[in-house]
Short mmCIF file of all heavy atoms in Angstrom, two decimals:
data_model
loop_
_atom_site.label_atom_id
_atom_site.label_comp_id
_atom_site.label_asym_id
_atom_site.label_seq_id
_atom_site.Cartn_x
_atom_site.Cartn_y
_atom_site.Cartn_z
N ALA A 66 -167.48 10.29 -167.75
CA ALA A 66 -168.45 10.55 -168.83
C ALA A 66 -169.60 9.56 -168.78
O ALA A 66 -170.77 9.91 -168.98
CB ALA A 66 -167.74 10.49 -170.18
N LEU A 67 -169.28 8.28 -168.50
CA LEU A 67 -170.31 7.25 -168.44
C LEU A 67 -171.23 7.45 -167.25
O LEU A 67 -172.42 7.12 -167.29
CB LEU A 67 -169.67 5.86 -168.39
CG LEU A 67 -168.94 5.42 -169.67
CD1 LEU A 67 -168.23 4.09 -169.44
CD2 LEU A 67 -169.93 5.30 -170.82
N MET A 68 -170.70 7.96 -166.16
CA MET A 68 -171.49 8.12 -164.94
C MET A 68 -172.27 9.42 -164.91
O MET A 68 -173.19 9.59 -164.13
CB MET A 68 -170.57 8.06 -163.72
CG MET A 68 -169.89 6.70 -163.52
SD MET A 68 -168.72 6.71 -162.15
CE MET A 68 -169.82 7.04 -160.78
N SER A 69 -171.90 10.37 -165.76
CA SER A 69 -172.52 11.69 -165.70
C SER A 69 -173.95 11.64 -166.25
O SER A 69 -174.18 11.19 -167.37
CB SER A 69 -171.71 12.68 -166.54
OG SER A 69 -172.40 13.91 -166.63
N PRO A 70 -174.96 12.08 -165.50
CA PRO A 70 -176.35 12.08 -165.98
C PRO A 70 -176.54 13.03 -167.15
O PRO A 70 -177.47 12.89 -167.93
CB PRO A 70 -177.16 12.52 -164.75
CG PRO A 70 -176.18 13.17 -163.83
CD PRO A 70 -174.86 12.56 -164.10
N ALA A 71 -175.65 14.02 -167.28
CA ALA A 71 -175.80 14.98 -168.37
C ALA A 71 -175.59 14.31 -169.72
O ALA A 71 -176.04 14.80 -170.74
CB ALA A 71 -174.82 16.12 -168.19
N CYS A 72 -174.86 13.18 -169.72
CA CYS A 72 -174.59 12.50 -170.98
C CYS A 72 -175.63 11.44 -171.28
O CYS A 72 -175.58 10.79 -172.30
CB CYS A 72 -173.20 11.84 -170.93
SG CYS A 72 -171.86 13.06 -170.83
N MET A 73 -176.54 11.18 -170.36
CA MET A 73 -177.58 10.19 -170.57
C MET A 73 -178.91 10.90 -170.86
O MET A 73 -179.24 11.88 -170.21
CB MET A 73 -177.73 9.31 -169.31
CG MET A 73 -176.44 8.59 -168.92
SD MET A 73 -175.94 7.36 -170.14
CE MET A 73 -177.23 6.14 -169.84
N ASP A 74 -179.65 10.38 -171.82
CA ASP A 74 -180.95 10.95 -172.17
C ASP A 74 -180.86 12.44 -172.43
O ASP A 74 -181.69 13.23 -171.98
CB ASP A 74 -181.98 10.67 -171.06
CG ASP A 74 -182.16 9.19 -170.82
OD1 ASP A 74 -182.16 8.43 -171.81
OD2 ASP A 74 -182.30 8.81 -169.66
N ASP A 75 -179.80 12.82 -173.14
CA ASP A 75 -179.53 14.24 -173.34
C ASP A 75 -180.24 14.80 -174.56
O ASP A 75 -180.08 15.96 -174.88
CB ASP A 75 -178.02 14.46 -173.48
CG ASP A 75 -177.63 15.91 -173.24
OD1 ASP A 75 -178.36 16.57 -172.48
OD2 ASP A 75 -176.63 16.36 -173.82
N TYR A 76 -181.05 13.95 -175.24
CA TYR A 76 -181.70 14.37 -176.47
C TYR A 76 -183.22 14.30 -176.32
O TYR A 76 -183.74 13.46 -175.60
CB TYR A 76 -181.26 13.49 -177.64
CG TYR A 76 -179.77 13.56 -177.90
CD1 TYR A 76 -178.93 12.57 -177.39
CD2 TYR A 76 -179.22 14.61 -178.62
CE1 TYR A 76 -177.56 12.64 -177.61
CE2 TYR A 76 -177.85 14.68 -178.84
CZ TYR A 76 -177.02 13.70 -178.34
OH TYR A 76 -175.68 13.78 -178.56
N ASP A 77 -183.90 15.21 -177.00
CA ASP A 77 -185.36 15.19 -176.99
C ASP A 77 -185.88 13.97 -177.74
O ASP A 77 -185.20 13.43 -178.63
CB ASP A 77 -185.91 16.46 -177.65
CG ASP A 77 -185.59 17.70 -176.85
OD1 ASP A 77 -185.43 17.56 -175.62
OD2 ASP A 77 -185.50 18.78 -177.47
N GLU A 78 -187.08 13.53 -177.39
CA GLU A 78 -187.72 12.45 -178.15
C GLU A 78 -187.93 12.91 -179.59
O GLU A 78 -188.34 14.05 -179.83
CB GLU A 78 -189.07 12.09 -177.52
CG GLU A 78 -188.96 11.35 -176.20
CD GLU A 78 -188.34 9.98 -176.37
OE1 GLU A 78 -188.61 9.33 -177.39
OE2 GLU A 78 -187.57 9.58 -175.49
N PRO A 79 -187.68 12.03 -180.57
CA PRO A 79 -187.87 12.43 -181.97
C PRO A 79 -189.33 12.76 -182.26
O PRO A 79 -190.24 12.10 -181.74
CB PRO A 79 -187.41 11.21 -182.76
CG PRO A 79 -187.52 10.06 -181.80
CD PRO A 79 -187.23 10.64 -180.45
N ASP A 80 -189.54 13.78 -183.05
CA ASP A 80 -190.89 14.19 -183.43
C ASP A 80 -191.31 13.37 -184.65
O ASP A 80 -190.81 13.55 -185.76
CB ASP A 80 -190.91 15.67 -183.77
CG ASP A 80 -192.30 16.16 -184.13
OD1 ASP A 80 -193.25 15.34 -184.06
OD2 ASP A 80 -192.46 17.33 -184.50
N THR A 81 -192.23 12.43 -184.42
CA THR A 81 -192.70 11.56 -185.51
C THR A 81 -194.08 11.96 -186.02
O THR A 81 -194.68 11.24 -186.81
CB THR A 81 -192.76 10.09 -185.03
OG1 THR A 81 -193.68 9.99 -183.93
CG2 THR A 81 -191.39 9.60 -184.60
N SER A 82 -194.57 13.12 -185.60
CA SER A 82 -195.94 13.51 -185.95
C SER A 82 -196.13 13.65 -187.46
O SER A 82 -197.22 13.41 -187.97
CB SER A 82 -196.30 14.83 -185.26
OG SER A 82 -195.40 15.86 -185.64
N ASN A 83 -195.07 14.02 -188.17
CA ASN A 83 -195.21 14.18 -189.62
C ASN A 83 -195.34 12.86 -190.35
O ASN A 83 -195.67 12.83 -191.53
CB ASN A 83 -194.01 14.96 -190.18
CG ASN A 83 -194.04 16.42 -189.78
OD1 ASN A 83 -195.10 16.98 -189.55
ND2 ASN A 83 -192.87 17.04 -189.68
N PHE A 84 -195.06 11.75 -189.66
CA PHE A 84 -195.17 10.44 -190.28
C PHE A 84 -196.54 9.80 -190.02
O PHE A 84 -196.84 8.74 -190.55
CB PHE A 84 -194.07 9.50 -189.76
CG PHE A 84 -192.69 9.98 -190.09
CD1 PHE A 84 -191.94 10.68 -189.17
CD2 PHE A 84 -192.14 9.76 -191.34
CE1 PHE A 84 -190.66 11.13 -189.47
CE2 PHE A 84 -190.87 10.20 -191.66
CZ PHE A 84 -190.12 10.89 -190.72
N LEU A 85 -197.35 10.43 -189.19
CA LEU A 85 -198.67 9.90 -188.85
C LEU A 85 -199.71 10.60 -189.72
O LEU A 85 -199.87 11.81 -189.64
CB LEU A 85 -198.96 10.13 -187.37
CG LEU A 85 -197.92 9.55 -186.40
CD1 LEU A 85 -198.23 9.96 -184.97
CD2 LEU A 85 -197.88 8.03 -186.52
N ILE A 86 -200.40 9.85 -190.54
CA ILE A 86 -201.33 10.49 -191.48
C ILE A 86 -202.78 10.39 -191.03
O ILE A 86 -203.65 10.99 -191.66
CB ILE A 86 -201.19 9.90 -192.89
CG1 ILE A 86 -201.77 8.47 -192.94
CG2 ILE A 86 -199.75 9.91 -193.37
CD1 ILE A 86 -202.05 8.00 -194.34
N THR A 87 -203.05 9.64 -189.96
CA THR A 87 -204.42 9.53 -189.46
C THR A 87 -204.56 10.30 -188.15
O THR A 87 -203.57 10.68 -187.52
CB THR A 87 -204.80 8.06 -189.23
OG1 THR A 87 -203.81 7.43 -188.41
CG2 THR A 87 -204.88 7.31 -190.56
N SER A 88 -205.80 10.52 -187.73
CA SER A 88 -206.06 11.31 -186.53
C SER A 88 -205.56 10.57 -185.29
O SER A 88 -205.80 9.37 -185.12
CB SER A 88 -207.56 11.57 -186.39
OG SER A 88 -207.84 12.25 -185.18
N GLN A 89 -204.85 11.29 -184.42
CA GLN A 89 -204.37 10.72 -183.16
C GLN A 89 -205.37 10.97 -182.04
O GLN A 89 -205.14 10.56 -180.90
CB GLN A 89 -203.01 11.31 -182.82
CG GLN A 89 -201.95 11.03 -183.87
CD GLN A 89 -201.83 9.55 -184.20
OE1 GLN A 89 -201.43 8.75 -183.36
NE2 GLN A 89 -202.20 9.17 -185.41
N GLU A 90 -206.48 11.60 -182.36
CA GLU A 90 -207.58 11.80 -181.42
C GLU A 90 -208.83 11.16 -182.01
O GLU A 90 -208.91 10.90 -183.22
CB GLU A 90 -207.82 13.29 -181.18
CG GLU A 90 -206.61 14.01 -180.58
CD GLU A 90 -206.86 15.50 -180.41
OE1 GLU A 90 -207.93 15.97 -180.87
OE2 GLU A 90 -206.02 16.19 -179.84
N SER A 91 -209.81 10.92 -181.18
CA SER A 91 -211.05 10.32 -181.67
C SER A 91 -211.73 11.26 -182.66
O SER A 91 -211.81 12.47 -182.44
CB SER A 91 -212.00 10.06 -180.50
OG SER A 91 -213.26 9.61 -180.97
N VAL A 92 -212.22 10.69 -183.76
CA VAL A 92 -212.96 11.50 -184.74
C VAL A 92 -214.45 11.57 -184.37
O VAL A 92 -215.24 12.18 -185.10
CB VAL A 92 -212.79 10.93 -186.16
CG1 VAL A 92 -211.35 11.00 -186.61
CG2 VAL A 92 -213.34 9.50 -186.26
N GLY A 93 -214.80 10.98 -183.23
CA GLY A 93 -216.18 11.02 -182.77
C GLY A 93 -216.75 9.63 -182.59
O GLY A 93 -216.13 8.62 -182.94
N GLU A 94 -217.93 9.57 -182.05
CA GLU A 94 -218.60 8.29 -181.82
C GLU A 94 -219.35 7.84 -183.09
O GLU A 94 -219.99 8.65 -183.76
CB GLU A 94 -219.57 8.40 -180.65
CG GLU A 94 -218.91 8.64 -179.31
CD GLU A 94 -217.93 7.53 -178.94
OE1 GLU A 94 -218.29 6.34 -179.16
OE2 GLU A 94 -216.83 7.84 -178.46
N THR A 95 -219.26 6.56 -183.38
CA THR A 95 -219.95 6.01 -184.54
C THR A 95 -221.45 6.25 -184.42
O THR A 95 -222.06 5.98 -183.38
CB THR A 95 -219.69 4.49 -184.64
OG1 THR A 95 -218.28 4.27 -184.73
CG2 THR A 95 -220.38 3.90 -185.84
N ASN A 96 -222.05 6.80 -185.48
CA ASN A 96 -223.49 7.08 -185.44
C ASN A 96 -224.25 6.56 -186.66
O ASN A 96 -225.43 6.84 -186.84
CB ASN A 96 -223.76 8.59 -185.27
CG ASN A 96 -223.09 9.43 -186.34
OD1 ASN A 96 -222.79 8.95 -187.43
ND2 ASN A 96 -222.86 10.70 -186.03
N THR A 97 -223.56 5.80 -187.52
CA THR A 97 -224.24 5.18 -188.65
C THR A 97 -223.44 3.98 -189.12
O THR A 97 -222.37 3.66 -188.56
CB THR A 97 -224.44 6.18 -189.81
OG1 THR A 97 -225.32 5.60 -190.79
CG2 THR A 97 -223.11 6.51 -190.49
N THR A 98 -223.95 3.30 -190.12
CA THR A 98 -223.28 2.14 -190.73
C THR A 98 -223.13 2.41 -192.22
O THR A 98 -223.72 3.36 -192.76
CB THR A 98 -224.10 0.86 -190.52
OG1 THR A 98 -225.37 1.02 -191.19
CG2 THR A 98 -224.33 0.59 -189.03
N ILE A 99 -222.37 1.56 -192.90
CA ILE A 99 -222.27 1.69 -194.36
C ILE A 99 -223.64 1.47 -194.99
O ILE A 99 -224.02 2.18 -195.94
CB ILE A 99 -221.23 0.70 -194.93
CG1 ILE A 99 -219.84 1.00 -194.35
CG2 ILE A 99 -221.20 0.76 -196.45
CD1 ILE A 99 -218.76 0.01 -194.75
N TYR A 100 -224.39 0.55 -194.43
CA TYR A 100 -225.76 0.32 -194.92
C TYR A 100 -226.61 1.57 -194.71
O TYR A 100 -227.36 1.99 -195.61
CB TYR A 100 -226.36 -0.87 -194.18
CG TYR A 100 -227.80 -1.17 -194.55
CD1 TYR A 100 -228.13 -1.63 -195.82
CD2 TYR A 100 -228.83 -1.01 -193.61
CE1 TYR A 100 -229.44 -1.92 -196.16
CE2 TYR A 100 -230.14 -1.30 -193.94
CZ TYR A 100 -230.45 -1.75 -195.21
OH TYR A 100 -231.75 -2.02 -195.55
N GLY A 101 -226.46 2.21 -193.54
CA GLY A 101 -227.21 3.44 -193.27
C GLY A 101 -226.81 4.55 -194.22
O GLY A 101 -227.67 5.33 -194.67
N LEU A 102 -225.53 4.65 -194.54
CA LEU A 102 -225.06 5.65 -195.50
C LEU A 102 -225.72 5.46 -196.86
O LEU A 102 -226.18 6.41 -197.49
CB LEU A 102 -223.55 5.55 -195.68
CG LEU A 102 -222.64 6.20 -194.65
CD1 LEU A 102 -221.19 5.90 -195.00
CD2 LEU A 102 -222.88 7.70 -194.59
N LYS A 103 -225.74 4.21 -197.31
CA LYS A 103 -226.30 3.93 -198.63
C LYS A 103 -227.80 4.23 -198.67
O LYS A 103 -228.32 4.68 -199.70
CB LYS A 103 -226.01 2.49 -199.03
CG LYS A 103 -224.53 2.24 -199.32
CD LYS A 103 -224.26 0.82 -199.80
CE LYS A 103 -222.80 0.63 -200.17
NZ LYS A 103 -222.52 -0.73 -200.68
N ASN A 104 -228.47 3.99 -197.56
CA ASN A 104 -229.89 4.33 -197.50
C ASN A 104 -230.09 5.85 -197.54
O ASN A 104 -230.90 6.36 -198.31
CB ASN A 104 -230.51 3.78 -196.21
CG ASN A 104 -230.84 2.31 -196.31
OD1 ASN A 104 -231.06 1.78 -197.40
ND2 ASN A 104 -230.89 1.64 -195.17
N LYS A 105 -229.34 6.57 -196.71
CA LYS A 105 -229.55 8.01 -196.57
C LYS A 105 -229.19 8.77 -197.84
O LYS A 105 -229.85 9.75 -198.21
CB LYS A 105 -228.71 8.53 -195.40
CG LYS A 105 -228.91 10.02 -195.12
CD LYS A 105 -228.18 10.46 -193.86
CE LYS A 105 -228.43 11.93 -193.56
NZ LYS A 105 -227.75 12.36 -192.30
N TYR A 106 -228.13 8.32 -198.53
CA TYR A 106 -227.66 9.04 -199.72
C TYR A 106 -227.91 8.25 -201.00
O TYR A 106 -227.16 8.36 -201.97
CB TYR A 106 -226.16 9.36 -199.57
CG TYR A 106 -225.88 10.25 -198.39
CD1 TYR A 106 -225.46 9.73 -197.17
CD2 TYR A 106 -226.06 11.64 -198.49
CE1 TYR A 106 -225.21 10.55 -196.08
CE2 TYR A 106 -225.81 12.47 -197.40
CZ TYR A 106 -225.39 11.92 -196.21
OH TYR A 106 -225.16 12.75 -195.13
#
């Protein structure tokens, strides 16, 4: 049982996506500042 590869790594990686609340991809390139926001709006 210890030597059998079927018993090792026999489970999928846990899905933790529901615990991540921020974007896992880039939201885009920065194109303004907080100062610029306050000026524009």
Side-chain angles (χ1 to χ4, degrees):
L67 292 174
M68 295 176 63
S69 172
C72 294
M73 301 294 289
D74 300 321
D75 199 28
Y76 299 98
D77 293 333
E78 287 295 323
D80 182 3
T81 60
S82 59
N83 289 332
F84 298 98
L85 304 174
I86 72 163
T87 53
S88 176
Q89 300 307 293
E90 300 178 354
S91 174
V92 296
E94 294 301 317
T95 302
N96 56 23
T97 190
T98 62
I99 298 175
Y100 177 68
L102 279 177
K103 290 184 176 182
N104 280 335
K105 183 174 182 178
Y106 298 98

